[in-house]
Amino acid sequence: MQDFSFPARIAGLRARFDLEAAKFQGIDALIVSHPENVRYLTGFSGSSGLVVLTKTDALFFTDGRYAVQAEREVPGFERIVLPAGSILLIAAGEWLRENHRVSCIGFEADHIPYSAYRTLEQTLDPDDRAQQAVFARSGDVEALRAIKDASEVAKIRAACQLADACFAHLCGFIQPGMTEARVAWELESYFRTHGAQKLSFDPIVGSGANSALIHGRASERVIGSSGGPEFILMDFGCVLEGYCSDITRTVVIGGEPTAKMRHIYDSVLGAQVAALAAIKPGVEGKSVDALARGLLSGAGYGEMPHGLGHGLGRVVHDLPLPTFSPKATVVLAAGMVATVEPGVYIEGLGGVRIEDDVLVTELGCERLTVATKELIVLGN
């Protein structure tokens, strides 16, 4: 079945040429070089590809290693296959000079080094430098990526469903005496054997006092070795068809949780539920963060040491970024996908984080990760 997402994305990118012409002095062509942006526009999954977009043409440059792959994955573009070892940026600049006589070339300033910029500048006509220039552009493709289309939402939803299933599997797998590293390996194995291309990021598995390490990595600590009830914080996700999931759940093992542990958990869950209820188009991301942050502070847990959430999509920290934080400038819009992940971390005791992936809808938000958030006590 033909995917109509790519032509729509190209049309949206072209529209930015006209909408922002006054601000950016106008450009005749845009060179897109960042691999994630190239894949977003074309579907190409290889490591050597570049898009050149003018008001009339859409070209895809690659080298001979990817000739067959590009034919399969990039059917809607004029494909230019260069000899292996070619510098795509030089080829693109020379093609624009020879075929379009463009005067203003835009490039992705956030994604190419200064040396590459100088390389591109040298492809301009040496006899016509007064009429030609290269312009640094920022955020053109990213602005489109911030709003997910239906095909993207479907892929993220599938990745979230697999993350939910992985959590359910882990709840039946984890036992006292296992190491954190063993649990991390089990969740990776589950993803790999159930269709995931890879993990979204190195998983976080922290038990006991280690669960207070916000970005701690799975260690050789033996789960349950404290001899009493302890938290296990697990933050993980997978990639399906190029799109990520990102979920965090915190459970208890080693007996019934103490009153303090329950209070921490209930406070984090309450903050997350309130934040989810506040999400809708037109709301500022920083106000949602402030709501959750204020609830945790009011419960006696001070300042949350991280933002409430980030965009999610082709990469695990995708646009809009940051989405929910004190410094976020995002105004929520339907089609955005983000995480909502409040947390409390107490050194020596442990930590609780509860994270869901959500889609901003016309009326509010939809949870894409739906695994239970009741406090689970493993072994009971």
Side-chain angles (χ1 to χ4, degrees), residues 236-362:
F236 55 92
C238 68
V239 178
L240 278 179
E241 295 190 72
Y243 285 81
C244 298
S245 58
D246 183 3
I247 186 174
T248 306
R249 291 293 185 266
T250 306
V251 300
V252 171
I253 197 167
E256 288 296 321
T258 65
K260 178 66 172 178
M261 294 172 75
R262 284 197 176 276
H263 188 262
I264 295 171
Y265 191 91
D266 290 345
S267 297
V268 173
L269 180 57
Q272 201 221 28
V273 169
L276 292 174
I279 294 173
K280 61 181 178 180
V283 171
E284 291 184 321
K286 65 182 178 182
S287 71
V288 181
D289 176 273
L291 173 62
R293 194 173 295 275
L295 289 171
L296 291 178
S297 178
Y301 296 112
E303 181 72 7
M304 185 168 65
H306 56 75
L308 182 65
H310 54 81
L312 182 75
R314 294 205 52 79
V315 293
V316 75
H317 289 90
D318 204 353
L319 284 294
L321 190 68
T323 310
F324 304 116
S325 84
K327 295 184 178 180
T329 60
V330 173
V331 176
L332 301 178
M336 290 181 175
V337 175
T339 68
V340 181
E341 48 182 305
V344 167
Y345 314 91
I346 299 177
E347 187 176 358
L349 172 63
V352 173
R353 185 164 62 248
I354 301 172
E355 175 185 20
D356 281 313
D357 305 332
V358 302
L359 168 68
V360 181
T361 66
E362 295 292 345

Side-chain angles (χ1 to χ4, degrees), residues 193-205:
T193 56
H194 287 77
Q197 295 167 284
K198 58 183 179 179
L199 274 65
S200 302
F201 53 92
D202 289 339
I204 297 169
V205 178

Side-chain angles (χ1 to χ4, degrees), residues 168-232:
H169 171 74
L170 291 175
C171 286
F173 172 80
I174 298 172
Q175 296 179 5
M178 290 181 177
T179 65
E180 295 168 354
R182 177 67 184 89
V183 175
W185 176 246
E186 181 65 18
L187 73 84
E188 180 167 0
S189 299
Y190 184 90
F191 279 138
R192 292 285 192 174
T193 56
H194 287 77
Q197 295 167 284
K198 58 183 179 179
L199 274 65
S200 302
F201 53 92
D202 289 339
I204 297 169
V205 178
S207 62
N210 285 352
S211 61
L213 302 175
I214 297 172
H215 282 167
R217 292 291 180 257
S219 73
E220 293 300 322
R221 181 186 185 274
V222 175
I223 294 171
S225 58
S226 67
E230 57 186 47
F231 287 126
I232 308 175

